Amino acid sequence: METIADPFVVVIGAGAMGGTMAAALVRGGARVAILDTDAAHVSAINDEGLRVHGLSKHEDAMSLNVPANCVAPGAAVADLAVVMTPAFETSAAAQTAAAVLKPGGSAVSLQNGLGNAEALIDVLGHERVFMGSTRASADRPALGCPRVTKMDPTKVGELNGQTSERATWLAACLDRGGMPSSVTENIQGVLWSKFIHNCCINALSAITGLRMGEVTRIPDLGALRYAISDEALAVARANRIRLEHPDPLPKMEIHVWRKFTKPSMLQHVDQGRMIEIDAINGWLVREATRLGLSVPVNQVVTALARGRAQAQIIASGPTPDYAALTATAEAEIDRGDRPWERLSKEERA
């Protein structure tokens, strides 16, 4: 992002955390517009304002006038695109960012998981992308109404470790708006630190249906969390990542013991939505395979999380015609088909 006195920001993906971040940017003095694919959510924001709860300790709720739309404008209008979609939508969000950004504009991701930077760079190029990570959390109890459930620090920085005007501006704007934020020269370490944290927490909550504080009070799940962490740390070491804390477990144990919030992955399971497992534990499995490392615990957790999410998606829709499905399966067997082998090959690929 070039040095601009009054930058125009487009937030791509304004759910719980994206909506909270959009509100913080508005409160911090930025001109902001929202792009989101949920038409009902967009309509609620335009009709009643972006109604954010918990952004300020001194205000229970506030309504902000933020224009929202489901489709990108026909012209390149933005100086900065803040990407807050689920990780599996990052490639599509990158195309949207390319459409809305001015030639000198930049994009920043503050999403969960790893692989988001690469997806943005593939479309926009290295020079137009920087990254961020937030430890704040939120939910969305109603359309147009993000609600802060935890306000922990946010950090932004350049992938090359240098300090930039765009990262400094974004951190200052969010900080003024109620989200404590700062610039880091080790954004890769920050991203990986949160990534390991998410690997250890999100999928276990999604699989069990338990909140963080509930998961940590079951000893068997604690042992599983340690095993997930050991595998993740081995992959981080192989990539020579300098984590914020070389041993993240002590701070993680304090965090999960005192928090009874729902991680975003559990929220998405409860809503019958797709989950970001392939950017978290699933990404770790793929990276370990590339490095020749074994991460069997994360392989199992990834598979179980996918299954749990799919079960809820099925339960949230019309009841399947199991008789018809059975008939189709029997016909496949009668023809000599072996579709499970094809699925197994696709999964390995």
Side-chain angles (χ1 to χ4, degrees):
M1 184 171 68
E2 299 171 348
T3 303
I4 298 172
D6 184 24
F8 180 59
V9 182
V10 172
V11 176
I12 303 173
M17 276 308 305
T20 299
M21 200 153 291
L25 288 167
V26 171
R27 282 174 51 85
R31 294 181 297 127
V32 177
I34 283 170
L35 285 175
D36 195 278
T37 57
D38 186 336
H41 182 52
V42 165
S43 179
I45 293 171
N46 287 326
D47 291 345
E48 303 176 52
L50 180 64
R51 291 155 290 148
V52 61
H53 297 252
L55 189 57
S56 170
K57 293 181 180 179
H58 308 294
E59 298 171 319
D60 180 50
M62 65 189 81
S63 180
L64 301 169
N65 183 21
V66 185
N69 211 318
C70 290
V71 296
V77 296
D79 302 295
L80 176 66
V82 178
V83 178
M84 293 298 296
T85 64
F88 51 79
E89 294 178 358
T90 304
S91 293
Q95 296 292 340
T96 300
V100 302
L101 284 170
K102 297 175 182 176
S106 303
V108 59
S109 160
L110 291 101
Q111 301 158 279
N112 283 333
L114 294 178
N116 297 303
E118 291 78 3
L120 292 174
I121 289 169
D122 282 347
V123 175
L124 299 170
H126 282 274
E127 298 301 318
R128 301 182 75 190
V129 175
F130 66 113
M131 295 297 292
S133 176
T134 182
R135 292 300 184 102
S137 62
D139 62 11
R140 197 189 75 180
L143 295 173
C145 296
R147 177 177 61 187
V148 176
T149 56
K150 173 171 63 74
M151 186 55 81
D152 282 354
T154 295
K155 295 184 180 181
V156 295
E158 298 289 341
L159 290 165
N160 61 10
Q162 297 179 1
T163 300
S164 68
E165 291 186 6
R166 62 190 182 183
T168 301
W169 177 87
L170 178 60
C173 188
L174 289 172
D175 197 69
R176 288 193 302 270
M179 292 189 71
S181 302
S182 61
V183 176
T184 177
E185 296 179 352
N186 181 29
I187 191 62
Q188 288 283 22
V190 171
L191 291 170
W192 271 80
S193 295
K194 183 183 178 183
F195 169 74
I196 293 173
H197 177 99
N198 285 344
C199 282
C200 294
I201 293 172
N202 288 22
L204 293 184
S205 284
I207 293 165
T208 63
L210 298 172
R211 294 171 179 247
M212 284 194 290
E214 295 167 335
V215 168
T216 196
R217 284 163 173 78
I218 299 176
D220 287 346
L221 293 178
L224 191 56
R225 186 167 62 254
Y226 303 151
I228 292 169
S229 175
D230 287 344
E231 292 179 356
L233 287 170
V235 175
R237 286 192 295 270
N239 279 293
R240 299 181 180 179
I241 299 298
R242 179 167 55 91
L243 299 172
E244 291 181 286
H245 305 282
D247 180 5
L249 276 175
K251 289 182 72 68
M252 188 186 304
E253 291 300 275
I254 293 171
H255 175 80
V256 296
W257 186 266
R258 70 180 183 177
K259 296 294 183 182
F260 284 85
T261 53
K262 287 186 178 184
S264 58
M265 195 177 294
L266 176 54
Q267 293 181 43
H268 295 163
V269 166
D270 287 347
Q271 295 160 7
R273 296 169 55 190
M274 291 178 61
I275 60 173
E276 297 178 302
I277 192 67
D278 287 322
I280 305 178
N281 303 77
W283 190 95
L284 185 77
V285 171
R286 294 194 303 277
E287 182 65 5
T289 299
R290 185 186 71 82
L291 294 166
L293 299 176
S294 177
V295 289
V297 176
N298 278 278
Q299 284 181 303
V300 171
V301 165
T302 299
L304 291 175
R306 287 177 182 155
R308 180 69 189 91
Q310 184 61 28
Q312 190 61 33
I313 289 171
I314 292 170
S316 301
T319 302
D321 185 343
Y322 287 110
L325 291 172
T326 300
T328 298
E330 289 177 346
E332 289 173 328
I333 299 299
D334 291 343
R335 291 195 304 267
D337 293 347
R338 302 172 69 85
W340 55 89
E341 292 181 350
R342 172 179 54 79
L343 290 175
S344 179
K345 290 177 182 178
E346 289 175 356
E347 178 62 25
R348 287 197 298 272

